[in-house]
Amino acid sequence: MAEAARISPPAPIRLVIFDFDGTLSDSGDWFLSVVDQLASRFRFRTVKDGEVEMLRHKSSREVIEYLGISRWKLPFIARHLRNLVGRNAHEIELFPGTPDLLEQLAATGVKIALVTSNAEANARKILGPEHAARIDFYACGSSLFGKAPKFRRVLKKMGITAAHTLAIGDETRDIDAAREVGMRAGSVLWGYASEEVLTALGPDALFRTPQDILEFVAAHR
């Protein structure tokens, strides 16, 4: 009987790339407070209170389609939203556990990067100087579905391969972008998308708490 083929273990994690909104920063309620303003300005459907939970069970692309947002409007909406965040950053807080997560992760020697459609200045303002300093590289201002090129830029700048990288976000588009680049994809369950819709895409890990992230990375070092 032929010996069963050996499966090589995954490469150790040397870099963790985080999404920001909905992953490190608790911006969901703030976003809902301005979505009607955005809908009026850019002429798409408003989100009724009873629709929020329903939309959490849709993919990022399905949400855009449901709201009737034309793809060509997305860069303009993103730019306007970045400006709004810049003026209201004091209203947005980090998720509980985020500071400890960044501190403990940095202490392990793993590199940390941030890839987000938000502006770097906004992310730094919300993180605060101490926590912002723990992030080794920022690649901000990505388009809504343009994270893959930012991921590639981070890998090139930091000299780390996709196989040694874990990308963590809270939406289906985060998983799609990680897969496109060949990185492992992890999804947090405290952000925007529901566990059901994230699980359907088969991420490499689902995280219920920040501690879960630390344990996953430690197990793959």
Side-chain angles (χ1 to χ4, degrees):
M1 184 175 178
E3 182 180 353
R6 293 183 178 179
I7 300 175
S8 300
I13 294 172
R14 297 175 51 207
L15 168 65
V16 176
I17 303 178
F18 285 103
D19 170 54
F20 189 63
D21 294 290
T23 301
L24 298 181
S25 76
D26 188 2
S27 54
D29 288 344
W30 177 85
F31 176 76
L32 288 175
S33 74
V34 301
V35 71
D36 284 352
Q37 177 190 144
L38 293 172
S40 176
R41 184 183 181 97
F42 294 100
R43 299 186 179 182
F44 60 85
R45 285 186 56 167
T46 58
V47 179
K48 306 295 189 296
D49 290 343
E51 293 179 316
V52 174
E53 185 60 28
M54 176 270 293
L55 291 173
R56 293 186 65 243
H57 291 271
K58 293 182 177 291
S59 71
S60 303
R61 295 182 188 278
E62 288 171 337
V63 171
I64 297 299
E65 182 179 352
Y66 180 85
L67 296 178
I69 303 175
S70 300
R71 291 292 294 269
W72 67 266
K73 291 183 180 180
L74 292 176
F76 300 98
I77 295 173
R79 183 171 61 186
H80 183 68
L81 194 55
R82 285 193 289 268
N83 290 336
L84 286 178
V85 173
R87 294 197 296 268
N88 298 277
H90 60 282
E91 298 180 14
I92 302 171
E93 297 183 350
L94 299 175
F95 279 109
T98 291
D100 287 343
L101 168 62
L102 295 176
E103 180 181 3
Q104 293 183 50
L105 196 58
T108 69
V110 171
K111 297 297 183 182
I112 304 172
L114 192 70
V115 171
T116 174
S117 56
N118 212 326
E120 180 175 340
N122 293 343
R124 286 182 176 276
K125 194 179 298 184
I126 295 167
L127 283 164
E130 181 181 359
H131 308 313
R134 293 196 171 98
I135 294 175
D136 299 287
F137 192 81
Y138 288 80
C140 302
S142 67
S143 62
L144 195 63
F145 295 102
K147 281 196 167 183
K150 294 286 188 181
F151 283 158
R152 293 189 181 96
R153 181 185 173 211
V154 171
L155 297 180
K156 183 177 181 179
K157 289 288 187 180
M158 302 197 73
I160 297 175
T161 67
H164 290 89
T165 304
L166 169 67
I168 300 177
D170 69 309
E171 296 185 51
T172 60
R173 62 192 175 98
D174 299 315
I175 300 173
D176 291 338
R179 292 277 186 258
E180 182 177 336
V181 179
M183 301 185 297
R184 275 168 279 190
S187 299
V188 302
L189 299 180
W190 56 78
Y192 173 73
S194 70
E195 180 174 356
E196 178 184 15
V197 73
L198 292 169
T199 300
L201 289 183
D204 295 276
L206 292 171
F207 304 118
R208 297 185 184 280
T209 68
Q211 183 63 33
D212 290 343
I213 296 175
L214 293 170
E215 292 176 1
F216 183 85
V217 172
H220 294 81
R221 289 283 286 156

